[in-house]
Amino acid sequence: MYQDLNGKVAVITGGSKGIGTAISERLGKEKMKVVVNYHSDEAGANQAVEAVKAAGGDGIAVQANVGSEEGVQKLVDVALSEYGTLDLWINNAGMENQCETHKLPLEDWERVINVNLTGVFLGTKAALSYFVENNKKGNIINISSVHEQIPWPTFAHYSASKGGVKLLTETVAMEYANRNIRVNNIGPGAIKTPINAEKFADPEQLQTTKETIPMQRIGNPEEVAAAAAWLASDEASYVTGITLFVDGGMTLYPAFQGGKG
Ligand code: BGC
């Protein structure tokens, strides 16, 4: 637990499932007040808010499209009207679909880039504006992926969006470092979430995925949430512009395990 987070106010995008819900709940345990954004899964967002409250924090579910300026502004407005301030912004909303690149419809490309990259830009911009205009210490965490570093065939749009998030994070971290604003990335690997439910339900695909993970197991959303809580806290006060991979070693070139090569 991080004492300094007690009573602070967070916005998290895409909080209605998976990693977003786990982070919300963890922030609840830290006694934070959490604006839990969702796009279409209202029931999931309400459950996340219940989990935040049960854990000891406060929360509210808010529908918004993070790929639009009005959407992210609504999240800032709710944080201010409900809780009076904003301390932490977590860009978590993301989506993926598989398709060979020569067949990838432009609409799929645009949809994924809009949520995963433009959404991170817009959320970052909205949070920065509030922090700068109010001369306030601020913290931004982006949920990226191991695929900001590892190329992922048949997921060109997803990989491109995450590569973009990496350099966006580094650039903004540098730009605002002297204003008491920290900006970091978390790069989850294969995590047990709804986005992966189908894939990991198939024993063969599960085995194939495990072979890419030196620790040979799928991660839990709570393990990503623990990294988010640390980055959010003052324990990470000298950390900005990094990607903290939470991936069981997936980014370590597992094909070379055992001295192969
Ligand atoms: C994706 C997962 C995938 C993992 C490892 C994540 O970014 O969302 O679907 O299993 O990367 O490849």
Side-chain angles (χ1 to χ4, degrees):
M1 305 293 281
Y2 302 104
Q3 275 308 319
D4 64 282
L5 294 179
N6 192 324
K8 293 238 169 85
V9 177
V11 168
I12 178 160
T13 69
S16 58
K17 44 175 89 61
I19 290 171
T21 296
I23 294 176
S24 301
E25 186 171 2
R26 175 61 196 254
L27 299 183
K29 282 191 186 141
E30 302 292 345
K31 311 263 182 295
M32 292 184 77
K33 298 163 185 168
V34 190
V35 176
V36 179
N37 158 251
Y38 67 96
H39 182 253
S40 35
D41 184 2
E42 185 178 6
N46 286 335
Q47 269 175 20
V49 167
E50 286 318 307
V52 170
K53 291 182 177 165
D58 198 1
I60 181 170
V62 181
Q63 198 288 327
N65 172 12
V66 298
S68 78
E69 295 216 272
E70 304 76 56
V72 292
Q73 193 53 48
K74 182 173 170 191
L75 300 177
V76 176
D77 293 346
V78 172
L80 299 186
S81 61
E82 290 290 318
Y83 303 126
T85 190
L86 175 67
D87 301 286
L88 169 67
W89 186 284
I90 303 186
N91 289 304
N92 166 75
M95 58 194 300
E96 68 191 50
N97 73 297
Q98 184 165 24
C99 188
E100 287 181 293
T101 306
H102 68 287
K103 294 183 188 152
L104 184 63
L106 179 58
E107 303 98 75
D108 285 20
W109 170 273
E110 286 176 340
R111 198 172 52 240
V112 167
I113 295 290
N114 187 244
V115 174
N116 295 13
L117 181 55
T118 308
V120 174
F121 160 64
L122 292 175
T124 299
K125 182 180 167 190
L128 286 173
S129 302
Y130 177 76
F131 296 148
V132 169
E133 279 160 24
N134 293 279
N135 205 12
K136 199 175 155 69
K137 172 178 167 181
N139 199 325
I140 298 173
I141 298 171
N142 299 323
I143 306 304
S144 176
S145 164
V146 290
H147 299 297
E148 68 168 45
Q149 179 174 309
I150 305 174
W152 201 18
T154 67
F155 290 88
H157 47 349
Y158 185 80
S159 307
S161 72
K162 297 301 184 178
V165 167
K166 172 187 159 66
L167 217 51
L168 176 62
T169 301
E170 292 175 353
T171 300
V172 175
M174 200 190 308
E175 193 171 336
Y176 292 88
N178 62 357
R179 293 192 227 207
N180 219 359
I181 297 171
R182 296 190 294 113
V183 189
N184 291 290
N185 254 359
I186 294 176
I191 309 295
K192 199 169 184 296
T193 63
I195 227 178
N196 291 315
E198 218 178 290
K199 186 164 63 182
F200 298 156
D202 171 358
E204 235 173 77
Q205 287 201 59
L206 179 62
Q207 187 50 32
T208 309
T209 301
K210 281 187 183 165
E211 283 162 16
T212 67
I213 309 167
M215 287 179 81
Q216 292 180 339
R217 70 169 176 85
I218 304 301
N220 296 310
E222 293 72 25
E223 293 177 295
V224 180
W230 177 71
L231 282 174
S233 79
D234 283 344
E235 292 288 300
S237 55
Y238 203 48
V239 178
T240 198
I242 67 156
T243 293
L244 177 49
F245 287 111
V246 182
D247 68 350
M250 195 181 239
T251 39
L252 298 176
Y253 298 96
F256 287 82
Q257 203 155 26
K260 288 181 206 151

